[in-house]
Amino acid sequence: MRAARLIKMVLLLQSRPSMTAAELAQELEVSERTVTRDAQALSEAGVPVYADRGRAGGYRLIGGYRTRLTGLARSEAEALFLSGVPGALREMGLEDAASAARLKVSAALLPSLRDASRTAAQRFHLDAPNWFREPKTPELLPAVADAVWDDRRIVARYRRGEGERLREVGRELEPYGLVLKAGVWYLCARVAGHGSYRVYRIDRFTAVEPGDDRFQRDEEFDLPGFWDERAEQFARSLLRAEVVVRVSPDGVLRLPYTVDPQSAREALEAAGAPDGDGWVTVTLPVESEEVAHTQLSALGPEVEVLAPQAMRARFASDAIRLAALYGT
């Protein structure tokens, strides 16, 4: 632990002209007294750490000292490629590895380029979760992430189904990759001995036990391509019903932002020519009449439901109630 901290202290001082004891203590997560002892230990070991006294003082390396401890470990190099998603790194337990990697890269750069990480961070930031949703890190995510990095089989138990059909099942899995979608973590894995790839929500896992064996990864497996295909299949599988609607010109523009965008675009492309008022009749695939009612209500008077009749009657009832609320 102390050796890693001393290396980090040298890299910090190498990447900046000087640092106060308070700044070093904050970066190293130790007390200022520990910083003083570590600086003395480095000096005794031959690292030229110089302490400037006084209120404006601090620690710096003298004589153009350069350490050769900037080689990246494999875990640090892998974490560096994920450094644009700091929240995901933290949830997978890779924050320390990414921090060490960034320090080594910074220490290896020319002095004129060492502020690159800071200037980039001040200009670009990725915030993955949806609005109005407090992301919750699955407790077993770090264990799953370790298995993914290590190509190690896991024995997992997870909740399957909903309500009265909810049950817990177990599987031996070969964990191929993790996906963070709108604040929710998913595991793409192959069932051991089965050969098929499946997708599991990490927050449904109730237990994860790393196995003793590593699996032979299929080098042709394409995680982004696999996820795109499964995500499209999942979205399509939800659209089990159809509604027929007339949509105004303004409604045509807003429809892809109200229902599934791809389905809306395909339905509009398949629609006939607009009528004399410019309205278009569209047959729209939807998840259910209940969901469609909620979604299409957002279009207000820019949409008219033609079928099914029960849904049209529901919108008519909504219109009567709205007229009663807002009528003159």
Side-chain angles (χ1 to χ4, degrees), residues 202-277:
I202 302 295
D203 58 9
R204 284 183 167 265
F205 284 125
T206 59
V208 172
E209 186 69 30
D212 296 327
D213 301 328
R214 289 183 172 87
F215 63 90
Q216 186 64 39
R217 176 178 285 268
D218 181 359
E219 297 301 330
E220 295 185 0
F221 178 77
D222 175 22
L223 179 60
F226 170 77
W227 175 258
D228 288 344
E229 179 182 344
R230 286 303 175 91
E232 183 178 354
Q233 289 176 1
F234 176 73
R236 296 283 183 178
S237 70
L238 294 177
L239 306 178
R240 303 186 183 96
E242 284 186 346
V243 297
V244 182
V245 296
R246 287 180 68 240
V247 191
S248 72
D250 184 55
V252 167
L253 299 176
R254 293 165 53 187
L255 189 62
Y257 301 97
T258 307
V259 298
D260 177 66
Q262 183 65 25
S263 298
R265 285 190 289 268
E266 292 177 359
L268 288 169
E269 289 173 0
D275 61 20
D277 297 322

Side-chain angles (χ1 to χ4, degrees), residues 20-23 25-26 30-38 59:
T20 66
E23 290 171 336
Q26 182 177 0
V30 295
S31 66
E32 292 185 30
R33 180 173 296 182
T34 299
V35 168
T36 301
R37 288 198 297 265
D38 286 353
Y59 293 91

Side-chain angles (χ1 to χ4, degrees), residues 279-309:
W279 288 53
V280 177
T281 299
V282 177
T283 300
L284 191 66
V286 294
E287 184 174 343
S288 66
E289 291 184 22
E290 184 71 29
V291 172
H293 175 263
T294 301
Q295 293 173 329
L296 295 174
S297 292
L299 294 179
E302 307 305 325
V303 63
E304 177 190 2
V305 175
L306 301 179
Q309 187 59 38

Side-chain angles (χ1 to χ4, degrees), residues 307-325:
Q309 187 59 38
M311 189 171 173
R312 178 178 174 85
R314 186 169 181 178
F315 271 84
S317 176
D318 290 346
I320 292 171
R321 292 168 59 195
L322 283 170
L325 287 173

